[in-house]
Amino acid sequence: MIQFASVFSDYAVLQRRMPIPVWGTAEPRTLVEVRFRGECRRVLSTPDGRFLVRFSPGEAGGPFVLEAELPDRGERCSLREIMVGEVWLASGQSNMEMALGSVSEAAAEEAEKAENVRMLNVPHCARTGGRTEFRARWMRPERGNSRVFSAAAFYFAREVAQATGVTVGIVHSSWGGTDAMAWCSREALVQNPDFRDFVLELEAEMFQPERWSGNCDRDVSSPQYDGLEEIIRATGCPENDGVGRGWAEPGFDDSGWKLMTLPGRWNQAGENYNGVLWFRREVEIPAEWAGRPLTLAIGAVDKHDITYFNGVQVGATGSGVDTNVWCELREYRVAPELVREGRAVIAVRAYSFLFDGGMIGPADAMRLYPEGAAPETGIELSGPWRYATEFNMGLITLPPAISPVPGTEVLYGSCNMPYVLYDNMIAPLVPYAIRGVIWYQGEHNTLRRNREYGGLMKSLIEDWRRAWGQGDFPFYQVQLPGFHAEAAYEEASTWAPLRLGQQFAAETTGNDFAVTLDLGDVENIHPKRKREVGERLARLALRREYGKNLVENGPMPLAAVFEGDAVRLRFRRCAEGLRFDPGPTLFAIAGADGEFQPVEPEISGEEVRLPYAGQGRPRRLRYAWADNPQGALLRNADGLPAPTFELEIL
């Protein structure tokens, strides 16, 4: 059997003007032929059944077909609607993961109008030892798919697509609440003096048998938790009562059941509990399908499912307390003897024992079609389904996590273990050709070792560039917005030093960052102004990568010089002058005693003058030094804000 790697699917976007790597699996030591856009490549698969070829660089265009064949065996597979355009990897934690559907339904509906944006969501996984494959597919923002698009990444892609006139694909691989260490490879971490000892000490502990007692038979993507099985057992483990009540049978009368539009989560549809829900959908089988095997694709089910066609079980995914399958796409084979012309009923028993539950799609992964045919030729299964509750467990809350690493907040077997997300969510993407990376992460690192973040991110950026082997591709970070109570100056701020780390990583690797100080939320670490975030990231790319004539960022300080009785501060990226509306001062100067005192600025053109009346010569200058800098922000004529910064005064 021959198949492409999971990062390739229908609707994929391949990078223009670069060699295009394409890989997959086949029978070991077998001749493989791959064809794309008029080119043919041949290679012998490896002893473990892997193959990789590279196609010549080309201009944007499409749609194309990507085909692979074993010519000596007559086996083949093909992918349709492939576009060549611009590809960006979007990664980080929850503010990159935040979907358009979480911003607002209006945002998700508006996104469906975007014709030149596609996205691939990499499923969560934190397996010790990593993985090489995952189950996912590229999506267009249509028929509800946009609800699961990363909001920041979508708005970035839409801006780039509109400005360049080509299709933009986003490979989205992020996970909320994660540490940058988890996204960095082991090789990079042990070469960083700030993290080497931590990693080695952790590894000396983590493989001890007592750390994994009782957990060895689990394969979970979320942190593993002691007591989870006991909590579920205490609620009464659900048996499959629905099948005994005839809920899978085509003759069952479900007219009294409620309706729910799928894909969707039942917690957001008024059923705010964990447990088991059954979903039923009638379809009409065409005469020409009768007696043919079908593929029943129901998308992802959060978390486990048992799926029936005309009363016969055709597939099931998940068991025990396995949370790793919550976003795995389900595709089940319907035997030809079950396929008859006319009415048929699909029934899905969905079981979720933690967090949300439901049939979560995406919409274009929910179809019924003849085996071997193109999915879009089949019957769409998104839309209204009838449902009923078999078992209400109530809301399950998280029990304490299993063994923490001594002296740290890291959990054994969690998504915050060093290098675990690199192994599971980045390495499987290499060497997919990309233009660059957009990154929105750092909130988790404000909790500890925030002053080491700059060096960590420098290691991560250099690490990813090494892994891809494409040279120094752009890596644009989102500098953290404001969060927590507003303050003009906050000496003990944990967010300000991390913002400096983001700037350090950008400057030392030849990159840039989008300033979002003004886009935060006092009470919500997940601000919803993702449109502006994406647009500011796009400004960086459009100016630096695509040569567009625009101001890509806010004012950046050049130097602070003490002259007479004042510190003069000059900026770049403010040719039409600086803007600073009346409000609390965000500037502070420290003299020989190291104590920072607020200073009122005087704005003149491209310069800020800061009168100084302290004792001795001023030594250091800070701007916007707080978790959430209060009030007015320094901007350029384009309305883009200056970042948090700290300078030595010359």
Side-chain angles (χ1 to χ4, degrees):
M1 179 179 180
I2 184 169
Q3 61 184 16
F4 292 105
S6 49
V7 73
F8 301 94
S9 74
D10 293 344
Y11 308 117
V13 183
L14 304 179
Q15 179 61 47
R16 64 173 174 167
R17 301 173 184 170
M18 286 186 189
I20 300 175
V22 176
W23 68 96
T25 57
E27 295 296 324
R29 299 183 182 277
T30 304
L31 185 66
V32 177
E33 184 174 284
V34 188
R35 295 179 292 274
F36 180 65
R37 206 160 58 168
E39 290 188 330
C40 177
R41 297 288 186 266
R42 283 191 168 189
V43 70
L44 193 68
S45 63
T46 63
D48 61 348
R50 301 180 184 278
F51 70 87
L52 184 148
V53 299
R54 296 181 189 271
F55 288 96
S56 304
E59 293 300 318
F64 301 109
V65 174
L66 176 62
E67 296 179 305
E69 182 178 5
L70 302 180
D72 295 338
R73 296 174 178 241
E75 297 179 18
R76 69 179 62 188
C77 63
S78 64
L79 303 176
R80 300 171 175 82
E81 295 288 333
I82 306 298
M83 301 296 292
V84 174
E86 291 294 301
V87 181
W88 288 79
L89 170 59
S91 189
Q93 59 179 105
S94 53
N95 273 306
M96 182 62 82
E97 190 174 27
M98 186 176 186
L100 282 164
S102 298
V103 172
S104 72
E105 287 299 325
E109 291 173 5
E110 178 193 11
E112 294 188 6
K113 302 174 185 177
E115 297 181 354
N116 291 334
V117 176
R118 299 181 180 187
M119 192 170 294
L120 172 77
N121 288 328
V122 178
H124 288 180
C125 184
R127 294 174 184 162
T128 304
R131 62 175 172 176
T132 58
E133 280 293 307
F134 54 83
R135 294 184 64 182
R137 63 194 302 167
W138 283 85
M139 298 177 288
R140 296 179 293 189
E142 58 185 4
R143 297 188 303 277
N145 290 345
S146 60
R147 296 188 73 258
V148 298
F149 276 30
S150 159
F154 168 78
Y155 288 122
F156 166 85
R158 188 175 68 174
E159 289 294 304
V160 173
Q162 290 175 349
T164 61
V166 305
T167 301
V168 176
I170 298 290
V171 179
H172 170 231
S173 181
S174 62
W175 194 333
T178 53
D179 193 295
M181 278 194 303
W183 295 97
C184 206
S185 77
R186 183 186 186 277
E187 292 78 5
L189 289 173
V190 297
Q191 293 181 62
N192 185 317
D194 289 332
F195 295 91
R196 178 179 182 275
D197 290 345
F198 177 86
V199 171
L200 296 181
E201 290 170 7
L202 175 95
E203 290 175 339
E205 286 283 333
M206 68 177 288
F207 299 111
Q208 298 298 325
E210 60 270 20
R211 303 297 178 194
W212 298 92
S213 177
N215 292 291
C216 298
D217 59 342
R218 302 185 190 178
D219 182 17
V220 298
S221 57
S222 305
Q224 296 176 347
Y225 296 95
D226 277 339
L228 181 56
E229 289 176 323
E230 288 71 22
I231 287 179
I232 295 172
R233 194 175 298 114
T235 65
C237 286
E239 300 294 337
N240 192 347
D241 292 335
V243 73
R245 302 177 196 175
W247 289 3
E249 299 300 325
F252 177 80
D253 181 8
D254 60 15
S255 60
W257 287 18
K258 299 178 183 178
L259 287 172
M260 186 183 301
T261 299
L262 300 178
R265 289 176 166 82
W266 69 61
N267 309 71
Q268 298 172 351
E271 311 293 342
N272 194 22
Y273 48 83
N274 295 106
V276 178
L277 268 67
W278 279 70
F279 296 91
R280 286 172 56 94
R281 172 75 176 260
E282 290 188 9
V283 294
E284 194 72 20
I285 303 298
E288 59 270 23
W289 289 12
R292 297 176 59 186
L294 305 180
T295 296
L296 173 55
I298 60 171
V301 178
D302 187 357
K303 307 199 176 30
H304 303 173
D305 75 284
I306 305 174
T307 297
Y308 302 85
F309 184 89
N310 278 344
V312 177
Q313 180 177 326
V314 294
T317 302
S319 62
V321 292
D322 182 358
T323 64
N324 191 52
V325 296
W326 72 274
C327 55
E328 182 174 316
L329 300 179
R330 273 66 157 174
E331 291 185 358
Y332 300 131
R333 185 177 190 270
V334 179
E337 58 268 22
L338 299 178
V339 183
R340 297 181 292 274
E341 179 186 359
R343 176 181 176 273
V345 173
I346 299 164
V348 178
R349 181 184 189 267
Y351 169 41
S352 177
F353 50 81
L354 192 66
F355 305 126
D356 291 340
M359 295 176 64
I360 60 175
D364 68 356
M366 301 177 66
R367 296 177 185 271
L368 179 68
Y369 55 94
E371 189 174 79
E376 59 266 27
T377 63
I379 299 171
E380 291 189 19
L381 298 180
S382 60
W385 287 59
R386 293 199 174 274
Y387 76 95
T389 303
E390 176 192 297
F391 186 73
N392 183 336
M393 299 171 65
L395 280 175
I396 304 299
T397 57
L398 293 176
I402 70 166
S403 308
V405 179
T408 77
E409 296 177 1
V410 176
L411 306 178
Y412 291 108
S414 84
C415 58
N416 275 316
M417 291 281 287
Y419 60 82
V420 70
L421 297 186
Y422 178 87
D423 287 349
N424 287 277
M425 298 184 65
I426 297 301
L429 306 175
V430 179
Y432 198 90
I434 59 174
R435 173 65 62 193
V437 177
I438 54 175
W439 173 266
Y440 194 162
Q441 189 273 340
E443 296 92 339
H444 191 274
N445 286 84
T446 63
L447 303 175
R448 55 189 174 85
R449 305 178 74 163
N450 59 349
R451 295 180 183 273
E452 298 168 351
Y453 187 79
L456 176 60
M457 281 304 302
K458 179 176 182 291
S459 294
L460 187 150
I461 293 168
E462 293 172 344
D463 182 35
W464 289 19
R465 285 172 166 174
R466 172 202 56 78
W468 257 270
Q470 291 184 189
D472 292 346
F473 54 58
F475 192 110
Y476 298 137
Q477 303 169 82
V478 177
Q479 193 184 55
L480 292 187
F483 179 53
H484 297 133
E486 290 185 327
Y489 182 81
E490 193 175 5
E491 177 66 31
S493 170
T494 58
W495 287 51
L498 190 129
R499 293 187 189 112
L500 293 192
Q502 294 175 314
Q503 181 174 341
F504 170 84
E507 291 175 347
T508 55
T509 58
N511 285 292
D512 210 335
F513 56 94
V515 181
T516 63
L517 282 177
D518 56 332
L519 303 181
D521 189 312
V522 172
E523 298 179 347
N524 191 349
I525 200 170
H526 303 121
K528 293 192 174 184
R529 296 178 65 181
K530 294 298 188 284
R531 181 191 301 269
E532 294 97 322
V533 172
E535 290 172 349
R536 291 182 188 180
L537 285 168
R539 277 179 171 266
L540 299 175
L542 291 174
R543 175 61 184 266
R544 294 171 61 108
E545 307 307 317
Y546 303 108
K548 302 300 180 181
N549 185 21
L550 49 78
V551 177
E552 71 270 31
N553 214 337
M556 290 293 292
L558 292 171
V561 180
F562 182 51
E563 297 178 353
D565 61 349
V567 175
R568 295 185 179 276
L569 181 60
R570 291 192 61 80
F571 290 82
R572 60 185 174 93
R573 294 198 291 233
C574 55
E576 297 181 23
L578 297 167
R579 307 286 187 270
F580 195 83
D581 297 331
T585 179
L586 298 181
F587 291 92
I589 292 178
D593 60 1
E595 297 291 328
F596 283 88
Q597 300 297 328
V599 182
E600 290 293 338
E602 299 172 0
I603 309 296
S604 177
E606 300 174 27
E607 182 179 274
V608 174
R609 182 178 182 274
L610 301 167
Y612 179 70
Q615 297 297 315
R617 183 180 179 84
R619 301 295 180 85
R620 301 197 69 77
L621 166 66
R622 285 176 172 174
Y623 169 75
W625 195 267
D627 288 359
N628 191 6
Q630 180 180 4
L633 293 173
L634 188 67
R635 302 174 186 268
N636 57 21
D638 289 75
L640 301 172
T644 294
F645 59 81
E646 182 177 30
L647 295 174
E648 182 179 355
I649 299 173
L650 305 177

